[in-house]
Amino acid sequence: MTVSGPGTPKPQSACPGASSVEQLRKDGNELFKCGDYEGALTAYTQALGLGATPQDQAILHRNRAACHLKLEDYEKAETEATKAIEKDGGDVKALYRRSQALEKLGRLDQAVLDLQRCVSLEPKNKVFQEALRNIAGQIQEKVRYMSSTDAKVEQMFQILLDPQEKGTEKKQKASQNLVVLAREDAGAEKIFRSNGVQLLQRLLDTGEPDLMLAALRTLVGICSEHQSRTVATLSVLGTRRMVSMLGVENQAVSLAACHLLQVMFDALKEGVKKGFRGKEGAIIVDPARELKVLISNLLELLTEVGVSGQGRDNALTLLIKVVPRKSPKDPNNSLTLWVIDQGLKKILEVGGSVQDPPGELTVTANSRMSASILLSKLFDDLKCDAERENFHRLCENYIKSWFEGHGLAGKLRAIQTVSCLLQGPCDAGNRALELNGVMESVIALCASEQEEEQLVAVEALIHAAGKAKRASFITANGVSLLKDLYKRSEKDSIRIRALVGLCKLGSAGGTDFSMKQFAEGSTLKLAKQCRKWLCNDQMDVGTRRWAVEGLAYLTFDADVKEEFVEDAAALKALFQLSKSEERSVLFAVASALVNCTNSYDYEEPDPKMVELAKYAKQHVPEQHPKDKPSFVRARVKKLLAAGVVSAMTCMVKTESPVLTSSCRELLSRVFLALVEEVEDRGTVVAQGGGKALLPLALEGTDVGQTKAAQALAKLTITSNPEMTFPGERIYEVVRPLVSLLHLNCSGLQNFEALMALTNLAGISERLRQKILKEKAVPMIEGYMFEEHEMLRRAATECMCNLAMSKEVQDLFEATGNDRLKLLVLYSGEEDELLRRAAAGGLAMLTSMRPSLCSRIPQVTTHWLEILQALLLSPSQELQHRGAVVVLNMVEASREIASTLMESEVLEILSVLAKDKESPVTRAATACLGKAVEYGLIKPSQDGK
């Protein structure tokens, strides 16, 4: 009895819709056999909707379970199998499929019950007997592991809590072992059930950083992807206590607490994904309530006095990650609305705080940027005008409350808050600027004698430039005001900010050479001053960041780019700054690099449209002569020599909200520009570029992910993928490459993806399976029909390598498709490279699946001509492929061999067999030898 595929029912009595149900079930079975599990699932679902009988319903549900097993969706497989069993309690196939799903879900105790039932129903079935033995072995192993771990867990806690062992190597090793044990789910469960959370609480109470870190990292293992353990942990330790650990002075402990809270949020949101499902019912939880309690405590922490700046930043990071919806397709943004109502004022309070001199709240250089990003994410998550209006109202009320009745200090805080909004949800910032007296205060404070007041005002002016809709006088009057500050101020901190404001206003024309805002040479002078400040390591990092901001705007000018890449000291200072703790500089660094490499989107204007625009006296954008490809390539080489890849690799590793999706996109653009030339790719790989591209290709904007994926494709094509992406990393490359096969990507991206996948498919069966799992085969087949010869050829080469997999061979062997016909016909095309790929695939398939040999004469009447042309080709490679196909056909069947020997193939083989020793000669000789064996031809007199 077969238990792996959809079942065949016994004949049923006629009923309304029976023929439709039967036909859809058969269609589903055929699709299942061809490997189209999604299609089969659809067919079975449609059949269920046509009023099937209870027995038919049982069969359809168990068939759906089989599809879900193949698609590795084990929870749905269990659900469908259960539905089938409810309809027919003696359905052994459904019982067996449910046991398979339960085993994959780690619920071995339940899986064994289903298997025992299967064996009782069919005692002689060897498949059931073997499965039962395997699962019994797994259960015994688990019991052994759990019992042996008991004593170890107890011993570890004894060592860690022993005051006599303070600071010893023994204690350090025990803490490491505890963390490692908690990473395995069985180990985490054992710690949890051994009163582990209470013991870990005692470690946290010691106040020793090393023990606290060990406790927090162990708790990560306990809570990871397990909802009930997370709720129990919060119940024992207290939500307030866990959140307060973010605020400790020790940065490592604060980060570890941040990671633990992130894991807890994920567990509460997603529920349980792995083992010990049966224990979940022990605790009844309301995830929404627990989430709100955690978030409420995080919001309280934001404005709590005594909390470290790092802790405040970590709280903001967590809120950025867990509050907004992951996708706009999710209609529920209630959590965002709740946070806005409960905590918007607290977020604005952090955004309006100053780092220097220290205020009531301790903040870092990154705090205000993190607050801006959180505000932006919350605002973007709103769905309608009423929700946005409420956001504006709350912001304006908060700013007014400080601006009015709190004197100069209140005005400064209000202006600082407006700056925070302008950096985040700028619509809210623009509206705040228009509040009565705000803009006037900004202008007045720019002339203040106090540096702190001037700094706040000038920064607000910079952020407002170009963003204020109705406050257009900023742009009109801003240049003279900023020039005055730049020339007259004695403080570099003020001058550098004024200079950035000038840079921002001066770059309004972007890359359009004809739209320069300043007089000739002025831009270069500003850039020179920016580079001078950038290289001044006597200045604090926060001030030097503004020099990078200035260069991010000024590098729209090609003259500035050329001077910048020639300045080795400035590049070195830029890259060092990108690796510093000042994370808010990342976007500016990435922007400057995009400008220097011209990796922004640029389309050459249509010459006819240019002429038409000139005739109509319309403005025509002009490209700077130094932005031509030869200059860009030279700049890329200089950046590579200066170490741009290692700097960007460090930027990608940044775990900070400042590394936004937009920032990731900029980095992806630069990487794509760096790998454009084949000779530069080795340098990029050597400096860690391959590793850095993977996260960029998997997270960020659609454009950013596509650019990073294309860069990965270029590296995979021209270098050894196993060296470029060592270890498990090579399997992560597949998904980004497959994403480039979608129709919304360009022809070049499609082609490079196919070439890269061809390389990967030729490495190992595991990689081929990964490509199949990502559902790439239908897309690759689609490109085999493309009109563009390079795309058609690349797709055929990829399919040739994939043909080494059993699943692909099954597709070719399945009836009712033209896959084999296409390969045979392509083997006779004029394009030699296409012929080589198709003939190679044909040779491999006929070797692996002899049954295909008998179908070749059926797919086209020109099959003999195509084989003869391959054998007579001047190319040794084509000859060899043709000879292998003929040999496979001869060995497969005497009838086919007879047809071949009656044609001109015999004469061609005889000639080839007499040539010098080669693979072609050997294949031709083997063909003739088999024909002799069949008695179709006789050996010559000399026995050859």
Side-chain angles (χ1 to χ4, degrees):
M1 172 187 169
T2 303
V3 292
S4 57
T8 306
K10 295 174 183 176
Q12 297 294 309
S13 58
C15 68
S19 59
S20 302
V21 171
E22 179 72 11
Q23 187 56 51
L24 281 167
R25 187 190 60 74
K26 285 181 178 177
D27 292 346
N29 291 353
E30 285 302 315
L31 290 165
F32 187 94
K33 288 175 187 173
C34 295
D36 185 358
Y37 307 120
E38 295 279 7
L41 204 54
T42 303
Y44 297 141
T45 305
Q46 289 173 347
L48 279 167
L50 294 177
T53 64
Q55 192 165 352
D56 274 338
Q57 287 178 30
I59 292 163
L60 291 165
H61 279 303
R62 81 181 184 210
N63 288 359
R64 279 169 57 80
C67 294
H68 285 307
L69 282 172
K70 289 289 187 183
L71 294 167
E72 298 183 12
D73 192 339
Y74 302 118
E75 289 190 8
K76 285 184 180 176
E78 181 211 345
T79 303
E80 290 297 330
T82 300
K83 287 178 181 177
I85 294 162
E86 286 170 358
K87 300 288 181 186
D88 181 1
D91 190 334
V92 287
K93 285 188 179 181
L95 284 163
Y96 180 66
R97 282 170 197 158
R98 187 167 72 174
S99 75
Q100 289 177 299
L102 290 167
E103 182 183 355
K104 292 292 185 183
L105 291 167
R107 292 149 67 184
L108 303 181
D109 50 345
Q110 295 174 36
V112 79
L113 292 174
D114 280 347
L115 280 172
Q116 285 170 347
R117 174 84 173 131
C118 289
V119 171
S120 69
L121 289 168
E122 293 189 11
K124 294 182 180 179
N125 191 309
K126 291 182 179 178
V127 174
F128 296 158
Q129 291 170 0
E130 183 61 30
L132 188 58
R133 274 195 296 272
N134 286 340
I135 210 161
Q138 288 182 52
I139 290 171
Q140 286 176 0
E141 183 60 35
K142 194 168 182 179
V143 169
R144 270 199 304 272
Y145 174 77
M146 298 290 267
S147 59
S148 67
T149 310
D150 274 345
K152 290 180 184 175
V153 171
E154 191 178 339
Q155 188 181 16
M156 281 184 243
F157 276 115
Q158 279 178 355
I159 294 168
L160 291 170
L161 293 168
D162 184 354
Q164 302 301 317
E165 296 284 356
K166 192 172 183 178
T168 64
E169 188 180 333
K170 197 174 178 183
K171 202 164 195 172
Q172 188 178 5
K173 191 173 181 181
S175 65
Q176 289 172 351
N177 289 341
L178 196 64
V179 174
V180 170
L181 182 65
R183 286 178 189 156
E184 292 294 326
D185 200 53
E189 180 71 4
K190 177 51 61 182
I191 295 169
F192 179 74
R193 295 196 172 279
S194 301
N195 205 30
V197 177
Q198 286 85 347
L199 293 169
L200 290 168
Q201 184 178 24
R202 288 174 60 189
L203 289 182
L204 292 172
D205 290 341
T206 63
E208 293 180 35
D210 289 345
L211 292 182
M212 291 175 77
L213 282 172
L216 290 167
R217 289 166 182 166
T218 304
L219 285 167
V220 166
I222 289 172
C223 297
S224 185
E225 296 183 354
H226 205 294
Q227 190 171 315
S228 68
R229 290 202 299 247
T230 299
V231 174
T233 300
L234 286 170
S235 175
V236 172
L237 299 179
T239 305
R240 182 68 192 151
R241 163 81 185 277
M242 291 309 304
V243 171
S244 67
M245 296 202 69
L246 283 175
V248 300
E249 287 296 333
N250 187 294
Q251 286 194 16
V253 173
S254 178
L255 279 171
C258 182
H259 183 209
L260 172 59
L261 287 167
Q262 175 70 61
V263 166
M264 287 177 160
F265 273 117
D266 292 342
L268 291 172
K269 275 190 163 185
E270 304 295 333
V272 178
K273 286 185 178 176
K274 58 184 183 181
F276 302 99
R277 283 278 304 270
K279 314 295 189 298
E280 280 296 308
I283 297 174
I284 298 170
V285 297
D286 178 6
R289 179 186 167 281
E290 295 295 333
L291 276 171
K292 283 188 176 179
V293 170
L294 263 178
I295 291 170
S296 177
N297 278 281
L298 283 176
L299 292 170
E300 290 294 330
L301 187 81
L302 290 180
T303 54
E304 200 172 293
V305 178
V307 171
S308 68
Q310 175 77 28
R312 227 177 292 279
D313 288 357
N314 286 335
L316 288 167
T317 301
L318 280 169
L319 290 167
I320 289 166
K321 287 180 178 178
V322 302
V323 175
R325 292 171 293 169
K326 297 292 182 189
S327 166
K329 292 178 183 177
D330 178 3
N332 184 10
N333 69 339
S334 59
L335 197 56
T336 294
L337 297 176
W338 183 80
V339 167
I340 289 171
D341 287 338
Q342 300 294 316
L344 185 62
K345 290 180 181 178
K346 293 180 173 66
I347 301 165
L348 291 171
E349 195 168 334
V350 178
S353 298
V354 289
Q355 183 187 7
D356 209 17
E360 194 176 76
L361 299 182
T362 308
V363 292
T364 70
N366 302 314
S367 299
R368 196 170 75 202
M369 180 60 78
S370 295
S372 294
I373 292 166
L374 175 55
L375 290 166
S376 181
K377 293 266 188 187
L378 293 173
F379 188 78
D380 291 343
D381 204 36
L382 300 177
K383 296 192 295 184
C384 63
D385 289 343
E387 291 175 0
R388 283 184 276 273
E389 191 58 41
N390 178 57
F391 187 95
H392 289 312
R393 181 179 56 78
L394 289 170
C395 290
E396 288 165 19
N397 287 345
Y398 177 82
I399 290 164
K400 282 179 187 174
S401 71
W402 277 103
F403 196 75
E404 299 165 0
H406 285 81
L408 183 57
K411 285 183 169 55
L412 284 172
R413 180 175 273 278
I415 293 169
Q416 186 85 317
T417 307
V418 172
S419 284
C420 179
L421 287 168
L422 285 167
Q423 287 179 282
C426 56
D427 285 348
N430 284 330
R431 281 189 45 164
L433 269 179
E434 295 164 24
L435 291 173
N436 187 34
V438 172
M439 201 63 238
E440 291 78 3
S441 295
V442 171
I443 300 296
L445 285 168
C446 282
S448 171
E449 293 296 320
Q450 297 295 318
E451 184 179 1
E452 295 79 18
E453 296 167 11
Q454 257 190 322
L455 284 174
V456 170
V458 172
E459 284 187 25
L461 196 63
I462 293 167
H463 296 312
K467 285 187 178 175
K469 292 177 183 174
R470 274 163 275 180
S472 56
F473 72 92
I474 295 174
T475 308
N477 305 313
V479 174
S480 58
L481 179 62
L482 291 167
K483 274 185 179 177
D484 191 53
L485 282 169
Y486 177 56
K487 288 176 181 176
R488 296 189 182 184
S489 178
E490 296 177 1
K491 303 177 183 76
D492 280 345
S493 58
I494 301 297
R495 293 186 68 219
I496 197 168
R497 285 164 172 78
L499 183 139
V500 171
L502 290 170
C503 295
K504 191 171 185 179
L505 294 170
S507 65
T511 56
D512 185 354
F513 181 48
S514 63
M515 289 282 285
K516 285 196 169 186
Q517 301 293 305
F518 294 151
E520 191 70 38
S522 296
T523 309
L524 286 171
K525 286 179 183 175
L526 289 173
K528 188 175 180 180
Q529 184 60 55
C530 278
R531 297 203 310 274
K532 181 181 174 183
W533 272 322
L534 175 62
C535 296
N536 185 355
D537 54 13
Q538 299 302 310
M539 276 185 162
D540 67 277
V541 174
T543 304
R544 290 167 67 204
R545 171 179 74 84
W546 287 96
V548 184
E549 293 274 356
L551 288 168
Y553 291 110
L554 293 173
T555 46
F556 280 123
D557 188 313
D559 289 318
V560 173
K561 300 177 198 181
E562 287 295 311
E563 285 196 1
F564 187 34
V565 296
E566 291 291 344
D567 190 337
L571 287 177
K572 184 180 178 182
L574 180 79
F575 298 154
Q576 284 177 343
L577 202 58
S578 72
K579 299 173 185 177
S580 72
E581 291 297 314
E582 180 70 44
R583 311 320 295 165
S584 53
V585 78
L586 295 183
F587 192 86
V589 173
S591 299
L593 292 174
V594 164
N595 293 340
C596 288
T597 56
N598 282 36
S599 46
Y600 41 72
D601 291 325
Y602 175 79
E603 288 185 20
E604 285 287 344
D606 185 338
K608 291 181 181 178
M609 295 302 292
V610 170
E611 289 302 318
L612 190 62
K614 286 180 179 176
Y615 179 76
K617 295 184 179 178
Q618 295 291 317
H619 171 69
V620 179
E622 294 178 25
Q623 188 181 36
H624 196 292
K626 291 180 181 176
D627 272 333
K628 289 181 178 175
S630 58
F631 284 91
V632 176
R633 282 196 295 272
R635 290 201 292 266
V636 166
K637 301 252 183 232
K638 286 167 186 170
L639 286 170
L640 284 167
V644 67
V645 176
S646 59
M648 288 173 62
T649 302
C650 288
M651 289 167 72
V652 172
K653 289 178 184 175
T654 301
E655 290 191 10
S656 165
V658 177
L659 191 66
T660 59
S661 296
S662 302
C663 190
R664 285 173 171 274
E665 181 184 319
L666 295 179
L667 292 172
S668 298
R669 288 176 179 276
V670 178
F671 267 121
L672 184 56
L674 296 178
V675 300
E676 192 62 41
E677 298 295 317
V678 174
E679 62 266 26
D680 294 333
R681 293 175 192 172
T683 305
V684 173
V685 171
Q687 294 181 13
K691 182 180 178 181
L693 275 165
L694 282 169
L696 293 176
L698 296 168
E699 188 182 344
T701 65
D702 290 341
V703 172
Q705 289 184 62
T706 301
K707 299 277 184 192
Q710 190 177 1
L712 284 171
K714 288 178 185 290
L715 292 178
T716 309
I717 291 168
T718 53
S719 59
N720 180 349
E722 291 176 289
M723 294 182 69
T724 307
F725 311 105
E728 292 296 305
R729 208 169 289 145
I730 193 169
Y731 303 101
E732 296 175 38
V733 180
V734 174
R735 181 170 295 173
L737 295 180
V738 173
S739 72
L740 292 177
L741 297 178
H742 293 292
L743 295 175
N744 58 344
C745 294
S746 67
L748 177 62
Q749 289 167 342
N750 299 152
F751 174 72
E752 288 178 334
L754 288 166
M755 294 282 285
L757 287 168
T758 301
N759 276 3
L760 292 178
I763 291 173
S764 71
E765 178 58 26
R766 189 179 165 195
L767 271 168
R768 289 190 287 275
Q769 288 299 320
K770 179 67 176 170
I771 294 169
L772 293 172
K773 190 177 177 182
E774 294 295 335
K775 299 181 175 60
V777 171
M779 290 186 275
I780 295 167
E781 284 184 326
Y783 286 110
M784 289 177 73
F785 292 93
E786 267 287 337
E787 289 183 18
H788 196 292
E789 62 178 22
M790 291 179 73
L791 274 174
R792 192 166 64 238
R793 182 197 309 149
T796 307
E797 287 173 350
C798 191
M799 188 58 71
C800 173
N801 280 359
L802 286 172
M804 288 186 272
S805 285
K806 175 184 176 296
E807 288 81 358
V808 176
Q809 294 162 20
D810 290 341
L811 293 176
F812 276 90
E813 200 169 31
T815 54
N817 69 76
D818 291 330
R819 293 184 178 94
L820 185 64
K821 180 179 180 179
L822 189 65
L823 279 188
V824 174
L825 292 174
Y826 279 177
S827 298
E829 285 284 305
E830 291 182 9
D831 179 354
E832 184 177 324
L833 292 173
L834 177 61
R835 288 177 74 197
R836 190 188 300 172
L842 208 55
M844 184 173 298
L845 284 165
T846 50
S847 296
M848 300 284 193
R849 297 293 171 99
S851 60
L852 291 173
C853 296
S854 59
R855 287 173 49 188
I856 289 176
Q858 299 167 16
V859 295
T860 174
T861 54
H862 302 291
W863 69 280
L864 263 175
E865 298 167 36
I866 291 168
L867 289 178
Q868 288 167 13
L870 286 173
L871 292 170
L872 292 170
S873 170
S875 164
Q876 275 269 330
E877 289 192 38
L878 282 176
Q879 272 193 334
H880 183 225
R881 284 163 168 75
V884 170
V885 174
V886 171
L887 175 60
N888 292 337
M889 292 178 75
V890 168
E891 289 181 338
S893 158
R894 187 182 188 281
E895 185 182 343
I896 300 171
S898 175
T899 307
L900 287 165
M901 293 305 132
E902 289 168 7
S903 69
E904 292 177 21
V905 170
L906 173 59
E907 187 179 340
I908 298 168
L909 290 172
S910 301
V911 173
L912 290 174
K914 294 174 183 175
D915 278 353
K916 292 179 183 178
E917 175 70 16
S918 71
V920 177
T921 310
R922 288 194 291 274
T925 305
C927 286
L928 295 172
K930 194 68 181 176
V932 170
E933 188 182 316
Y934 284 143
L936 298 173
I937 60 173
K938 293 181 180 178
S940 56
Q941 290 181 351
D942 58 2
K944 294 184 180 179

